[in-house]
């Protein structure tokens, strides 16, 4: 994937950046390290908020990491519905046979 990005012209890279798709851009090692530092700071901020929040229901969701080249946005976890929970319970109790 990196080789394909490296073959893009500066104009094509700028076009991808304008569309808000950082995972298709070209990042240097320095930019990768900065993104890692930003993710760590955001995670620390989230932990600090969680530690100082009394009720679990008021806690915010963990922060999303910065989007990086070659990695798309994270998919949301599927919510367990009552129907899927019943199906899972039946499978665990030997209902698959």
């Amino acid at each position: 994937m990196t080789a394909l990005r490296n073959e893009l012209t500066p104009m094509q890279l700028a076009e991808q950046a304008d569309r808000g798709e950082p995972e298709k851009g070209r990042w240097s090692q320095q930019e990768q390290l900065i993104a890692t530092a930003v993710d760590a700071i955001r995670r620390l901020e989230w932990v600090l908020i969680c530690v100082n929040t009394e009720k679990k229901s008021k806690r915010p969701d963990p922060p999303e990491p910065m989007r990086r080249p070659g990695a798309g946005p994270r998919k949301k976890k599927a919510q367990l519905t009552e129907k899927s929970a019943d199906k899972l319970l039946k499978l665990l109790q030997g209902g698959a046979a």
Side-chain angles (χ1 to χ4, degrees):
M1 189 63 142
T2 302
L4 294 174
R5 279 193 308 272
N6 290 342
E7 294 298 318
L8 294 175
T9 66
M11 189 170 153
Q12 290 170 321
L13 286 172
E15 185 179 311
Q16 287 179 350
D18 289 340
R19 288 189 302 216
E21 298 174 325
E23 66 273 5
K24 292 183 180 177
R26 192 180 306 163
W27 280 25
S28 67
Q29 185 177 12
Q30 181 180 5
E31 290 167 322
Q32 292 279 3
L33 291 171
I34 291 171
T36 302
V38 168
D39 288 342
I41 291 169
R42 290 171 64 195
R43 183 76 176 186
L44 284 171
E45 179 184 33
W46 176 76
V47 168
L48 183 64
I49 291 169
C50 290
V51 167
N52 291 305
T53 303
E54 290 184 22
K55 294 184 179 180
K56 190 174 184 178
S57 62
K58 291 183 180 179
R59 292 182 181 169
D61 293 332
E64 290 282 326
M66 287 185 71
R67 290 166 55 189
R68 291 168 171 78
R74 285 193 173 178
K75 295 179 181 175
K76 300 272 184 192
K77 291 184 180 180
Q79 295 291 326
L80 186 63
T81 62
E82 192 166 329
K83 181 180 176 182
S84 59
D86 289 339
K87 184 176 181 178
L88 179 61
L89 185 60
K90 286 178 185 175
L91 288 172
L92 291 173
Q93 293 175 344

